[in-house]
Amino acid sequence: MKYFNEHPLLFRVLFLTIAFFLLALAGMSLHHSASFQTDENFFSTSPSRLYVTKSAHAQMLKARGDEEEAITAFDSVLVGDLILTLNGSEYDSLAQVHRFLTTLAPTAFVDLYIVRPKANLKMFFRLRASTLSENYLREIPASVYITAVFEDGASDRAGMLVGDLVLRINNRDFRNQNEADDIMRRAEADRAIAYEVLRNNRMLTLHVTLARFGASLATFLGILGGLSFWGLAVFIGGSRPQFHAARLLALA
């Protein structure tokens, strides 16, 4: 830095070059974030492909450490719940579940660990093995489940609800939320794209017209704050390059 005490003009040129380069990058980033398209919802990768097709009364359990304690009240496993584990073990397919059930007596009980997309909750239940008949569960492809829908947004207008499972977007399969998001963003804005949705064990096709995301007031206030710091740095670094303290402050 002492070199610039004797060559302040060189520092000014280098500093202003860097400053305006960073300003250009910030402008490009702002344009990208303010113009990318969105379906105006949030979704997460579904953690299971085992889908409950019928509601059934079951005893709710709560986890306490590594043990489970029964709650006195009874509740239900609902249509749309996803099975994470049976008796503490994970199963990747419906065929594996059926093989497991054949090892149990009809009067035996099975502990289920489920995720309820409608409430975005994970819950424990206990019910009789005989309840898990062949048509009680179905195996679904990889999917994402909707965790939030923006009020009056593109998805809300199309009729999408929290808890819906999206199986395909624009007739394309995906493996996780990242791939689903990529398919959505590659679609054309202001044109409807088809979401194949599973809701209450019924397939629906929702046509969502993608919107462009506009920068919010909070974003603009942040931009103004950032530009004020940038302008102050340019002023100090450009007008007082001969002072060591000014150079440090401008770079900071």
Side-chain angles (χ1 to χ4, degrees), residues 224-234:
L224 290 177
L227 286 176
S228 65
F229 279 101
W230 181 88
L232 181 62
V234 169

Side-chain angles (χ1 to χ4, degrees), residues 78-115:
L78 303 179
V79 175
D81 289 346
L82 299 173
I83 305 297
L84 299 178
T85 67
L86 296 169
N87 281 358
S89 299
E90 296 181 2
Y91 294 90
D92 297 325
S93 68
L94 199 57
Q96 292 179 351
V97 172
H98 289 158
R99 285 196 295 269
F100 162 70
L101 293 176
T102 58
T103 65
L104 302 177
T107 56
F109 285 89
V110 177
D111 289 349
L112 303 181
Y113 183 34
I114 65 103
V115 62

